[in-house]
Amino acid sequence: MRLDGVSYRYGRRGPWVLREVDVELPEGGTVVVLGRNGAGKSTLLQLAAGVLRPSGGVVRERPSPVGWVPERFPADQPFTVVGYLTAMARVHGTVERNAIEAWIDRLGLAPYRGTRLGELSKGTAQKVGLAQALIPGPGLLVLDEPWEGLDAAARELVPEIVAEVVAAGGSVLVSDHRGETGRLPGAVTWTVADGTVTVGEAGGAGETAIIEIAVPAGDAEATVAALRADGHDVVGVRTTAGVRA
Ligand SMILES: Nc1ncnc2c1ncn2[C@@H]1O[C@H](COP(=O)(O)OP(=O)(O)OP(=O)(O)O)[C@@H](O)[C@H]1O
């Protein structure tokens, strides 16, 4: 898939979020999209997924089907979990009962089959968001901050799922401001800043600098959050008393 001179702004007079972006996502490739809060990561993902249409330029050779997992799963819909997953599978033209059931099991959704989406916790709703994207066997899987809101067990599943989609020949595009990038071996990075996208190798050997900083222990959480919000990969936190996270 290629983005050819893709530009985007919200509304006719809004500021340009992206300007003439040229990037290529190879078949079977994984791309991690990095950047500060508000840099345009979600916008880029939505253009790639076909959720937004470019204001200028064109997206070519988008694989199908597209599995799109938004940052916040829109849970205000009058469906039960199983009803929603079945309806979404129909939208993709297939109702593979086995695929629906397999993802319900794997993501731990079985206890919530008959629960209405609006009654789910945020983390469980995010899993339903993941399931609907995976059921059709996506040729392009687009995950907006997939680690956000998921419980620890489901977070562990994300790299596994990405590897499986890639092994089946699919392409994966993931945005990440939590610094989980290292969990996706072989991924390329697209860093969004000032309307442009810079392509790099994620964690390429010898290319990563690790900077140690010291802050008062009480500021650690806020500092980690600020660094991640700026697109940095926080690899560890320790106190003078020992390892914290
Ligand atoms: N629906 C919208 N209408 C108008 N402006 C928007 C809309 N969605 C996003 N923007 C603006 O476009 C810019 C890019 O937003 P985007 O959500 O793509 O950034 P992001 O890098 O994903 O940020 P975050 O990490 O906070 O999710 C921001 O300035 C944002 O305020």
Side-chain angles (χ1 to χ4, degrees), residues 75 112 115 117-127 149:
Y112 309 101
T115 307
L117 297 182
E119 289 159 23
L120 299 173
S121 70
K122 184 173 176 242
T124 308
Q126 284 303 102
K127 291 185 198 173

Side-chain angles (χ1 to χ4, degrees), residues 10 17 36-43 71 145 177:
Y10 290 91
V17 177
R36 290 166 167 266
N37 280 341
K41 300 183 294 295
S42 290
T43 304
E71 191 171 0
E145 303 288 351
H177 76 264

